[in-house]
Amino acid sequence: MSTDNQQKSAAQRRTIQREVILEELSKLKTHPRSDELYALVRQRLPRVSLGTVYRNLAKLHREGQALEIYCGDFVRYDADVSAHDHFICRACRRVWDFDSGHGHPTVGEPRSGDLAGFVMETQYTMFSGLCPGCSEREG
Amino acid sequence: MSTDNQQKSAAQRRTIQREVILEELSKLKTHPRSDELYALVRQRLPRVSLGTVYRNLAKLHREGQALEIYCGDFVRYDADVSAHDHFICRACRRVWDFDSGHGHPTVGEPRSGDLAGFVMETQYTMFSGLCPGCSEREG
DNA sequence: TTAAGTGCAAATAGTTTGCCAGAGT
DNA sequence: ACTCTGGCAAACTATTTGCACTTAA
């Protein structure tokens, strides 16, 4: 009886804010924090609020247009949603893209019987250690 | 000239608090949050404070006796520090141990030249999706 | 027209920290 | 004794949310 085939997802409106947020995020390879991205977006939209940045990042993440990287203290964002992993420096906490070299094996059925029933959707590997700069500094 | 061969790490004192915290954490396979662990420890040490739980968990983590699992909203802890990965349910946010089946390949030299200089220390894979209970509920 | 989205500010909540008393070695 | 630790409460900070106003469709 309904005219749309979408389950019931509310209509999405195109806004300059979301557009600029995704554009600025896409320019970066640095996996910015929300406040770093906020500063950039503000240069183009001086009246934008941090709340809007958060709301749109969450939306972009839900739609699969952005990755959320949990770093403990905060979240970093990445507009590159292709299959890749990350390296986080334990000293400076910056994040790099990292191609682990063993690819992204798709996990089929888990081997142990007691894992039956789990629906696997995503997987991703986090590497950590020291980046070149910090490894020099720390010896 | 110094009598100890430790670099300068302050003397570690053995305290009941840390002992109980590690004991309770070790009993669990549920990767508790700090507040869940706090509730358990409190049953044995009613006057313990949440700050103490946090301080000791951080200490245990530094010493390699506990894992910190970043779940976005909060941190979960695990006393099993052997090589294993985790599955997090995106609906109920609970965490399970998960043996991915492809082991923990040690990453040798990164293949791309521009990754030279990175010191790799740890790596670990996070799986996510729906647990059996939530997958039933959500269809 | 109308409801999704925004700006703003206040509220949340997990975690950290300063301070002084208490306990391990 | 000498200091690392703990208890307590206040502080911090990343993130979320309520509300009235805008604006895309």
Side-chain angles (χ1 to χ4, degrees), chain B residues 81-127:
Chain B
V81 294
S82 70
H84 68 289
D85 298 310
H86 293 107
F87 175 94
I88 181 170
C89 175
R90 72 163 153 79
C92 66
R93 314 235 64 191
R94 279 182 296 174
V95 170
W96 284 261
D97 287 326
F98 190 78
D99 180 356
S100 64
H102 44 77
H104 266 263
T106 302
V107 178
E109 286 311 299
R111 301 170 311 156
S112 354
D114 56 351
L115 281 174
F118 283 80
V119 179
M120 210 61 61
E121 292 173 344
T122 67
Q123 79 176 80
Y124 114 99
T125 302
M126 182 66 105
F127 299 86

mmCIF file of all heavy atoms in Angstrom, chain B residues 81-127:
data_model
loop_
_atom_site.group_PDB
_atom_site.id
_atom_site.type_symbol
_atom_site.label_atom_id
_atom_site.label_comp_id
_atom_site.label_asym_id
_atom_site.label_seq_id
_atom_site.Cartn_x
_atom_site.Cartn_y
_atom_site.Cartn_z
ATOM 1 N N VAL B 81 45.317 -12.640 27.472
ATOM 2 C CA VAL B 81 46.187 -11.872 26.585
ATOM 3 C C VAL B 81 46.827 -12.728 25.508
ATOM 4 O O VAL B 81 47.719 -12.285 24.798
ATOM 5 C CB VAL B 81 47.297 -11.141 27.391
ATOM 6 C CG1 VAL B 81 46.681 -10.085 28.295
ATOM 7 C CG2 VAL B 81 48.118 -12.131 28.193
ATOM 8 N N SER B 82 46.374 -13.977 25.402
ATOM 9 C CA SER B 82 46.897 -14.826 24.331
ATOM 10 C C SER B 82 46.373 -14.315 22.994
ATOM 11 O O SER B 82 45.411 -13.554 22.946
ATOM 12 C CB SER B 82 46.451 -16.271 24.550
ATOM 13 O OG SER B 82 45.063 -16.395 24.319
ATOM 14 N N ALA B 83 47.021 -14.735 21.916
ATOM 15 C CA ALA B 83 46.645 -14.245 20.594
ATOM 16 C C ALA B 83 45.246 -14.712 20.206
ATOM 17 O O ALA B 83 45.020 -15.885 19.963
ATOM 18 C CB ALA B 83 47.663 -14.728 19.564
ATOM 19 N N HIS B 84 44.323 -13.807 20.209
ATOM 20 C CA HIS B 84 42.977 -14.139 19.734
ATOM 21 C C HIS B 84 42.282 -12.838 19.345
ATOM 22 O O HIS B 84 42.709 -11.751 19.718
ATOM 23 C CB HIS B 84 42.184 -14.876 20.816
ATOM 24 C CG HIS B 84 41.830 -14.038 22.000
ATOM 25 N ND1 HIS B 84 42.747 -13.604 22.923
ATOM 26 C CD2 HIS B 84 40.642 -13.530 22.397
ATOM 27 C CE1 HIS B 84 42.139 -12.885 23.847
ATOM 28 N NE2 HIS B 84 40.868 -12.811 23.551
ATOM 29 N N ASP B 85 41.215 -12.981 18.575
ATOM 30 C CA ASP B 85 40.510 -11.800 18.103
ATOM 31 C C ASP B 85 39.136 -11.715 18.742
ATOM 32 O O ASP B 85 38.786 -12.551 19.571
ATOM 33 C CB ASP B 85 40.397 -11.863 16.571
ATOM 34 C CG ASP B 85 41.775 -11.858 15.929
ATOM 35 O OD1 ASP B 85 42.578 -10.983 16.292
ATOM 36 O OD2 ASP B 85 42.047 -12.730 15.083
ATOM 37 N N HIS B 86 38.391 -10.704 18.348
ATOM 38 C CA HIS B 86 37.077 -10.505 18.946
ATOM 39 C C HIS B 86 36.001 -10.233 17.914
ATOM 40 O O HIS B 86 36.258 -9.680 16.856
ATOM 41 C CB HIS B 86 37.134 -9.365 19.956
ATOM 42 C CG HIS B 86 37.967 -9.678 21.147
ATOM 43 N ND1 HIS B 86 39.208 -9.127 21.362
ATOM 44 C CD2 HIS B 86 37.753 -10.539 22.179
ATOM 45 C CE1 HIS B 86 39.720 -9.620 22.475
ATOM 46 N NE2 HIS B 86 38.871 -10.479 22.991
ATOM 47 N N PHE B 87 34.812 -10.639 18.294
ATOM 48 C CA PHE B 87 33.626 -10.349 17.497
ATOM 49 C C PHE B 87 32.747 -9.438 18.327
ATOM 50 O O PHE B 87 32.476 -9.720 19.489
ATOM 51 C CB PHE B 87 32.879 -11.650 17.183
ATOM 52 C CG PHE B 87 31.569 -11.424 16.473
ATOM 53 C CD1 PHE B 87 31.507 -11.467 15.081
ATOM 54 C CD2 PHE B 87 30.402 -11.168 17.180
ATOM 55 C CE1 PHE B 87 30.305 -11.246 14.411
ATOM 56 C CE2 PHE B 87 29.192 -10.936 16.525
ATOM 57 C CZ PHE B 87 29.151 -10.982 15.135
ATOM 58 N N ILE B 88 32.320 -8.331 17.745
ATOM 59 C CA ILE B 88 31.408 -7.445 18.474
ATOM 60 C C ILE B 88 30.083 -7.368 17.738
ATOM 61 O O ILE B 88 30.044 -7.189 16.521
ATOM 62 C CB ILE B 88 32.009 -6.029 18.671
ATOM 63 C CG1 ILE B 88 31.035 -5.142 19.460
ATOM 64 C CG2 ILE B 88 32.365 -5.383 17.347
ATOM 65 C CD1 ILE B 88 31.620 -3.821 19.919
ATOM 66 N N CYS B 89 29.019 -7.561 18.491
ATOM 67 C CA CYS B 89 27.679 -7.507 17.897
ATOM 68 C C CYS B 89 27.280 -6.044 17.763
ATOM 69 O O CYS B 89 27.301 -5.301 18.745
ATOM 70 C CB CYS B 89 26.677 -8.260 18.768
ATOM 71 S SG CYS B 89 24.980 -8.091 18.162
ATOM 72 N N ARG B 90 26.907 -5.651 16.557
ATOM 73 C CA ARG B 90 26.600 -4.227 16.355
ATOM 74 C C ARG B 90 25.277 -3.835 17.002
ATOM 75 O O ARG B 90 24.994 -2.655 17.185
ATOM 76 C CB ARG B 90 26.560 -3.889 14.861
ATOM 77 C CG ARG B 90 25.370 -4.434 14.103
ATOM 78 C CD ARG B 90 25.201 -3.713 12.761
ATOM 79 N NE ARG B 90 24.547 -4.547 11.776
ATOM 80 C CZ ARG B 90 23.230 -4.756 11.725
ATOM 81 N NH1 ARG B 90 22.432 -4.208 12.609
ATOM 82 N NH2 ARG B 90 22.710 -5.523 10.772
ATOM 83 N N ALA B 91 24.476 -4.816 17.359
ATOM 84 C CA ALA B 91 23.195 -4.498 17.995
ATOM 85 C C ALA B 91 23.334 -4.412 19.510
ATOM 86 O O ALA B 91 23.064 -3.375 20.103
ATOM 87 C CB ALA B 91 22.149 -5.535 17.600
ATOM 88 N N CYS B 92 23.758 -5.488 20.147
ATOM 89 C CA CYS B 92 23.808 -5.468 21.613
ATOM 90 C C CYS B 92 25.175 -5.055 22.139
ATOM 91 O O CYS B 92 25.348 -4.855 23.325
ATOM 92 C CB CYS B 92 23.425 -6.834 22.183
ATOM 93 S SG CYS B 92 24.594 -8.165 21.808
ATOM 94 N N ARG B 93 26.157 -4.938 21.246
ATOM 95 C CA ARG B 93 27.487 -4.444 21.576
ATOM 96 C C ARG B 93 28.278 -5.367 22.501
ATOM 97 O O ARG B 93 29.279 -4.947 23.073
ATOM 98 C CB ARG B 93 27.418 -3.035 22.192
ATOM 99 C CG ARG B 93 26.499 -2.082 21.443
ATOM 100 C CD ARG B 93 27.216 -0.825 21.045
ATOM 101 N NE ARG B 93 28.299 -1.129 20.105
ATOM 102 C CZ ARG B 93 29.238 -0.267 19.741
ATOM 103 N NH1 ARG B 93 29.255 0.923 20.246
ATOM 104 N NH2 ARG B 93 30.171 -0.618 18.896
ATOM 105 N N ARG B 94 27.826 -6.597 22.667
ATOM 106 C CA ARG B 94 28.610 -7.527 23.461
ATOM 107 C C ARG B 94 29.765 -8.056 22.621
ATOM 108 O O ARG B 94 29.742 -8.000 21.392
ATOM 109 C CB ARG B 94 27.735 -8.679 23.951
ATOM 110 C CG ARG B 94 26.914 -8.323 25.171
ATOM 111 C CD ARG B 94 26.099 -9.501 25.644
ATOM 112 N NE ARG B 94 25.115 -9.905 24.645
ATOM 113 C CZ ARG B 94 24.352 -10.985 24.746
ATOM 114 N NH1 ARG B 94 24.462 -11.777 25.780
ATOM 115 N NH2 ARG B 94 23.465 -11.270 23.806
ATOM 116 N N VAL B 95 30.765 -8.581 23.296
ATOM 117 C CA VAL B 95 31.977 -9.032 22.615
ATOM 118 C C VAL B 95 32.234 -10.501 22.894
ATOM 119 O O VAL B 95 32.074 -10.964 24.021
ATOM 120 C CB VAL B 95 33.190 -8.194 23.071
ATOM 121 C CG1 VAL B 95 34.494 -8.798 22.579
ATOM 122 C CG2 VAL B 95 33.066 -6.749 22.585
ATOM 123 N N TRP B 96 32.599 -11.236 21.851
ATOM 124 C CA TRP B 96 32.954 -12.639 21.996
ATOM 125 C C TRP B 96 34.388 -12.872 21.545
ATOM 126 O O TRP B 96 34.892 -12.149 20.681
ATOM 127 C CB TRP B 96 32.054 -13.514 21.120
ATOM 128 C CG TRP B 96 30.676 -13.720 21.644
ATOM 129 C CD1 TRP B 96 30.201 -14.804 22.338
ATOM 130 C CD2 TRP B 96 29.547 -12.840 21.507
ATOM 131 N NE1 TRP B 96 28.865 -14.631 22.646
ATOM 132 C CE2 TRP B 96 28.442 -13.441 22.151
ATOM 133 C CE3 TRP B 96 29.366 -11.592 20.912
ATOM 134 C CZ2 TRP B 96 27.193 -12.843 22.207
ATOM 135 C CZ3 TRP B 96 28.127 -10.993 20.972
ATOM 136 C CH2 TRP B 96 27.054 -11.619 21.626
ATOM 137 N N ASP B 97 35.000 -13.888 22.124
ATOM 138 C CA ASP B 97 36.295 -14.302 21.598
ATOM 139 C C ASP B 97 36.062 -14.940 20.254
ATOM 140 O O ASP B 97 35.041 -15.571 20.020
ATOM 141 C CB ASP B 97 36.940 -15.321 22.543
ATOM 142 C CG ASP B 97 37.446 -14.650 23.810
ATOM 143 O OD1 ASP B 97 37.893 -13.500 23.728
ATOM 144 O OD2 ASP B 97 37.393 -15.281 24.873
ATOM 145 N N PHE B 98 37.011 -14.782 19.389
ATOM 146 C CA PHE B 98 36.828 -15.322 18.059
ATOM 147 C C PHE B 98 38.157 -15.779 17.497
ATOM 148 O O PHE B 98 39.119 -15.016 17.456
ATOM 149 C CB PHE B 98 36.214 -14.262 17.148
ATOM 150 C CG PHE B 98 35.766 -14.804 15.832
ATOM 151 C CD1 PHE B 98 34.573 -15.505 15.743
ATOM 152 C CD2 PHE B 98 36.536 -14.633 14.705
ATOM 153 C CE1 PHE B 98 34.146 -16.014 14.530
ATOM 154 C CE2 PHE B 98 36.120 -15.151 13.488
ATOM 155 C CZ PHE B 98 34.918 -15.843 13.401
ATOM 156 N N ASP B 99 38.176 -17.017 17.080
ATOM 157 C CA ASP B 99 39.360 -17.546 16.429
ATOM 158 C C ASP B 99 39.106 -17.500 14.939
ATOM 159 O O ASP B 99 38.313 -18.239 14.401
ATOM 160 C CB ASP B 99 39.592 -18.984 16.892
ATOM 161 C CG ASP B 99 40.831 -19.565 16.237
ATOM 162 O OD1 ASP B 99 41.431 -18.884 15.392
ATOM 163 O OD2 ASP B 99 41.186 -20.698 16.578
ATOM 164 N N SER B 100 39.777 -16.562 14.298
ATOM 165 C CA SER B 100 39.459 -16.266 12.910
ATOM 166 C C SER B 100 39.748 -17.415 11.951
ATOM 167 O O SER B 100 39.260 -17.448 10.853
ATOM 168 C CB SER B 100 40.233 -15.042 12.455
ATOM 169 O OG SER B 100 41.617 -15.336 12.481
ATOM 170 N N GLY B 101 40.593 -18.325 12.358
ATOM 171 C CA GLY B 101 40.873 -19.447 11.485
ATOM 172 C C GLY B 101 42.059 -19.216 10.571
ATOM 173 O O GLY B 101 42.565 -20.136 9.966
ATOM 174 N N HIS B 102 42.486 -17.964 10.466
ATOM 175 C CA HIS B 102 43.693 -17.745 9.658
ATOM 176 C C HIS B 102 44.842 -17.273 10.526
ATOM 177 O O HIS B 102 45.805 -16.702 10.053
ATOM 178 C CB HIS B 102 43.449 -16.815 8.479
ATOM 179 C CG HIS B 102 42.643 -15.594 8.815
ATOM 180 N ND1 HIS B 102 43.184 -14.536 9.454
ATOM 181 C CD2 HIS B 102 41.347 -15.307 8.600
ATOM 182 C CE1 HIS B 102 42.238 -13.612 9.614
ATOM 183 N NE2 HIS B 102 41.120 -14.051 9.115
ATOM 184 N N GLY B 103 44.697 -17.530 11.799
ATOM 185 C CA GLY B 103 45.825 -17.301 12.696
ATOM 186 C C GLY B 103 46.259 -15.854 12.795
ATOM 187 O O GLY B 103 45.569 -14.951 12.367
ATOM 188 N N HIS B 104 47.386 -15.680 13.397
ATOM 189 C CA HIS B 104 47.931 -14.350 13.575
ATOM 190 C C HIS B 104 49.235 -14.252 12.825
ATOM 191 O O HIS B 104 50.291 -14.380 13.408
ATOM 192 C CB HIS B 104 48.203 -14.068 15.058
ATOM 193 C CG HIS B 104 47.066 -13.380 15.701
ATOM 194 N ND1 HIS B 104 47.009 -12.034 15.878
ATOM 195 C CD2 HIS B 104 45.911 -13.858 16.188
ATOM 196 C CE1 HIS B 104 45.877 -11.703 16.468
ATOM 197 N NE2 HIS B 104 45.192 -12.798 16.674
ATOM 198 N N PRO B 105 49.139 -14.024 11.540
ATOM 199 C CA PRO B 105 50.369 -13.936 10.776
ATOM 200 C C PRO B 105 51.211 -12.790 11.304
ATOM 201 O O PRO B 105 50.703 -11.700 11.531
ATOM 202 C CB PRO B 105 49.892 -13.629 9.360
ATOM 203 C CG PRO B 105 48.539 -13.039 9.538
ATOM 204 C CD PRO B 105 47.963 -13.685 10.755
ATOM 205 N N THR B 106 52.440 -13.072 11.569
ATOM 206 C CA THR B 106 53.316 -11.994 12.004
ATOM 207 C C THR B 106 53.694 -11.170 10.788
ATOM 208 O O THR B 106 54.137 -11.707 9.783
ATOM 209 C CB THR B 106 54.586 -12.552 12.645
ATOM 210 O OG1 THR B 106 54.213 -13.379 13.738
ATOM 211 C CG2 THR B 106 55.458 -11.425 13.148
ATOM 212 N N VAL B 107 53.483 -9.930 10.902
ATOM 213 C CA VAL B 107 53.807 -9.067 9.785
ATOM 214 C C VAL B 107 55.296 -8.786 9.795
ATOM 215 O O VAL B 107 55.822 -8.257 10.764
ATOM 216 C CB VAL B 107 53.040 -7.737 9.876
ATOM 217 C CG1 VAL B 107 53.445 -6.839 8.729
ATOM 218 C CG2 VAL B 107 51.563 -8.004 9.854
ATOM 219 N N GLY B 108 55.950 -9.171 8.751
ATOM 220 C CA GLY B 108 57.384 -8.916 8.670
ATOM 221 C C GLY B 108 57.596 -7.518 8.139
ATOM 222 O O GLY B 108 57.023 -6.574 8.659
ATOM 223 N N GLU B 109 58.394 -7.412 7.121
ATOM 224 C CA GLU B 109 58.591 -6.106 6.520
ATOM 225 C C GLU B 109 57.369 -5.734 5.710
ATOM 226 O O GLU B 109 56.890 -6.513 4.906
ATOM 227 C CB GLU B 109 59.830 -6.142 5.609
ATOM 228 C CG GLU B 109 61.125 -6.177 6.382
ATOM 229 C CD GLU B 109 61.182 -5.120 7.466
ATOM 230 O OE1 GLU B 109 61.115 -3.928 7.130
ATOM 231 O OE2 GLU B 109 61.269 -5.487 8.658
ATOM 232 N N PRO B 110 56.853 -4.569 5.922
ATOM 233 C CA PRO B 110 55.760 -4.117 5.074
ATOM 234 C C PRO B 110 56.248 -4.080 3.627
ATOM 235 O O PRO B 110 57.424 -3.815 3.376
ATOM 236 C CB PRO B 110 55.438 -2.736 5.603
ATOM 237 C CG PRO B 110 56.534 -2.371 6.530
ATOM 238 C CD PRO B 110 57.179 -3.631 6.963
ATOM 239 N N ARG B 111 55.346 -4.366 2.709
ATOM 240 C CA ARG B 111 55.781 -4.512 1.329
ATOM 241 C C ARG B 111 56.093 -3.189 0.662
ATOM 242 O O ARG B 111 57.034 -3.064 -0.093
ATOM 243 C CB ARG B 111 54.699 -5.234 0.541
ATOM 244 C CG ARG B 111 54.387 -6.600 1.122
ATOM 245 C CD ARG B 111 53.163 -7.160 0.477
ATOM 246 N NE ARG B 111 52.101 -6.171 0.482
ATOM 247 C CZ ARG B 111 51.094 -6.172 -0.364
ATOM 248 N NH1 ARG B 111 51.001 -7.130 -1.258
ATOM 249 N NH2 ARG B 111 50.185 -5.238 -0.314
ATOM 250 N N SER B 112 55.272 -2.191 0.955
ATOM 251 C CA SER B 112 55.517 -0.921 0.287
ATOM 252 C C SER B 112 56.688 -0.204 0.939
ATOM 253 O O SER B 112 56.837 -0.213 2.155
ATOM 254 C CB SER B 112 54.273 -0.042 0.370
ATOM 255 O OG SER B 112 53.205 -0.753 0.942
ATOM 256 N N GLY B 113 57.502 0.398 0.113
ATOM 257 C CA GLY B 113 58.689 1.077 0.615
ATOM 258 C C GLY B 113 58.376 2.190 1.589
ATOM 259 O O GLY B 113 59.109 2.432 2.531
ATOM 260 N N ASP B 114 57.241 2.844 1.393
ATOM 261 C CA ASP B 114 56.950 3.996 2.228
ATOM 262 C C ASP B 114 56.458 3.598 3.625
ATOM 263 O O ASP B 114 56.070 4.418 4.416
ATOM 264 C CB ASP B 114 55.936 4.916 1.554
ATOM 265 C CG ASP B 114 54.658 4.175 1.194
ATOM 266 O OD1 ASP B 114 54.639 2.931 1.324
ATOM 267 O OD2 ASP B 114 53.695 4.828 0.793
ATOM 268 N N LEU B 115 56.466 2.315 3.901
ATOM 269 C CA LEU B 115 56.097 1.904 5.252
ATOM 270 C C LEU B 115 57.331 1.543 6.059
ATOM 271 O O LEU B 115 57.252 1.176 7.217
ATOM 272 C CB LEU B 115 55.129 0.722 5.218
ATOM 273 C CG LEU B 115 53.686 1.121 4.912
ATOM 274 C CD1 LEU B 115 52.813 -0.108 4.745
ATOM 275 C CD2 LEU B 115 53.132 2.006 6.022
ATOM 276 N N ALA B 116 58.486 1.677 5.399
ATOM 277 C CA ALA B 116 59.725 1.386 6.107
ATOM 278 C C ALA B 116 59.867 2.331 7.287
ATOM 279 O O ALA B 116 59.492 3.493 7.215
ATOM 280 C CB ALA B 116 60.911 1.568 5.158
ATOM 281 N N GLY B 117 60.391 1.822 8.382
ATOM 282 C CA GLY B 117 60.584 2.668 9.546
ATOM 283 C C GLY B 117 59.510 2.474 10.595
ATOM 284 O O GLY B 117 59.658 2.901 11.725
ATOM 285 N N PHE B 118 58.428 1.835 10.219
ATOM 286 C CA PHE B 118 57.375 1.563 11.189
ATOM 287 C C PHE B 118 57.764 0.362 12.039
ATOM 288 O O PHE B 118 58.231 -0.645 11.524
ATOM 289 C CB PHE B 118 56.054 1.267 10.479
ATOM 290 C CG PHE B 118 55.373 2.500 9.963
ATOM 291 C CD1 PHE B 118 55.784 3.083 8.759
ATOM 292 C CD2 PHE B 118 54.334 3.080 10.667
ATOM 293 C CE1 PHE B 118 55.161 4.230 8.280
ATOM 294 C CE2 PHE B 118 53.702 4.223 10.192
ATOM 295 C CZ PHE B 118 54.117 4.796 9.002
ATOM 296 N N VAL B 119 57.623 0.494 13.324
ATOM 297 C CA VAL B 119 57.904 -0.617 14.223
ATOM 298 C C VAL B 119 56.588 -1.289 14.614
ATOM 299 O O VAL B 119 55.761 -0.700 15.315
ATOM 300 C CB VAL B 119 58.628 -0.133 15.499
ATOM 301 C CG1 VAL B 119 58.887 -1.304 16.436
ATOM 302 C CG2 VAL B 119 59.916 0.571 15.142
ATOM 303 N N MET B 120 56.434 -2.501 14.142
ATOM 304 C CA MET B 120 55.193 -3.219 14.382
ATOM 305 C C MET B 120 55.253 -3.914 15.733
ATOM 306 O O MET B 120 56.197 -4.620 16.022
ATOM 307 C CB MET B 120 55.066 -4.262 13.283
ATOM 308 C CG MET B 120 53.668 -4.627 12.895
ATOM 309 S SD MET B 120 52.769 -3.193 12.269
ATOM 310 C CE MET B 120 53.784 -2.764 10.856
ATOM 311 N N GLU B 121 54.291 -3.710 16.568
ATOM 312 C CA GLU B 121 54.296 -4.353 17.877
ATOM 313 C C GLU B 121 53.120 -5.306 18.071
ATOM 314 O O GLU B 121 53.282 -6.424 18.508
ATOM 315 C CB GLU B 121 54.297 -3.288 18.987
ATOM 316 C CG GLU B 121 55.600 -2.502 19.027
ATOM 317 C CD GLU B 121 55.553 -1.342 20.003
ATOM 318 O OE1 GLU B 121 54.440 -0.948 20.437
ATOM 319 O OE2 GLU B 121 56.615 -0.814 20.334
ATOM 320 N N THR B 122 51.940 -4.819 17.767
ATOM 321 C CA THR B 122 50.778 -5.698 17.917
ATOM 322 C C THR B 122 49.867 -5.591 16.706
ATOM 323 O O THR B 122 49.919 -4.615 15.959
ATOM 324 C CB THR B 122 49.934 -5.312 19.152
ATOM 325 O OG1 THR B 122 49.349 -4.037 18.926
ATOM 326 C CG2 THR B 122 50.787 -5.260 20.409
ATOM 327 N N GLN B 123 49.043 -6.581 16.533
ATOM 328 C CA GLN B 123 48.050 -6.510 15.491
ATOM 329 C C GLN B 123 46.869 -7.312 15.987
ATOM 330 O O GLN B 123 47.037 -8.260 16.739
ATOM 331 C CB GLN B 123 48.568 -7.111 14.198
ATOM 332 C CG GLN B 123 48.533 -8.622 14.159
ATOM 333 C CD GLN B 123 48.962 -9.131 12.799
ATOM 334 O OE1 GLN B 123 50.144 -9.207 12.499
ATOM 335 N NE2 GLN B 123 47.998 -9.494 11.979
ATOM 336 N N TYR B 124 45.707 -6.861 15.616
ATOM 337 C CA TYR B 124 44.580 -7.670 16.008
ATOM 338 C C TYR B 124 43.353 -7.328 15.206
ATOM 339 O O TYR B 124 43.212 -6.217 14.708
ATOM 340 C CB TYR B 124 44.419 -7.627 17.526
ATOM 341 C CG TYR B 124 43.203 -6.980 18.063
ATOM 342 C CD1 TYR B 124 42.123 -7.777 18.451
ATOM 343 C CD2 TYR B 124 43.114 -5.617 18.199
ATOM 344 C CE1 TYR B 124 40.996 -7.199 18.972
ATOM 345 C CE2 TYR B 124 41.996 -5.033 18.726
ATOM 346 C CZ TYR B 124 40.932 -5.816 19.105
ATOM 347 O OH TYR B 124 39.822 -5.227 19.617
ATOM 348 N N THR B 125 42.549 -8.340 14.995
ATOM 349 C CA THR B 125 41.435 -8.206 14.074
ATOM 350 C C THR B 125 40.108 -8.169 14.816
ATOM 351 O O THR B 125 39.890 -8.937 15.738
ATOM 352 C CB THR B 125 41.432 -9.393 13.079
ATOM 353 O OG1 THR B 125 42.666 -9.412 12.389
ATOM 354 C CG2 THR B 125 40.300 -9.232 12.077
ATOM 355 N N MET B 126 39.284 -7.249 14.419
ATOM 356 C CA MET B 126 37.963 -7.119 15.007
ATOM 357 C C MET B 126 36.921 -7.516 13.968
ATOM 358 O O MET B 126 36.933 -7.025 12.854
ATOM 359 C CB MET B 126 37.742 -5.671 15.439
ATOM 360 C CG MET B 126 36.422 -5.421 16.105
ATOM 361 S SD MET B 126 36.279 -6.264 17.682
ATOM 362 C CE MET B 126 36.487 -4.870 18.793
ATOM 363 N N PHE B 127 36.058 -8.426 14.370
ATOM 364 C CA PHE B 127 34.966 -8.823 13.494
ATOM 365 C C PHE B 127 33.695 -8.188 14.026
ATOM 366 O O PHE B 127 33.566 -7.988 15.236
ATOM 367 C CB PHE B 127 34.808 -10.334 13.499
ATOM 368 C CG PHE B 127 36.027 -11.051 13.000
ATOM 369 C CD1 PHE B 127 37.067 -11.366 13.863
ATOM 370 C CD2 PHE B 127 36.151 -11.391 11.663
ATOM 371 C CE1 PHE B 127 38.214 -12.004 13.404
ATOM 372 C CE2 PHE B 127 37.287 -12.034 11.193
ATOM 373 C CZ PHE B 127 38.319 -12.337 12.064
#
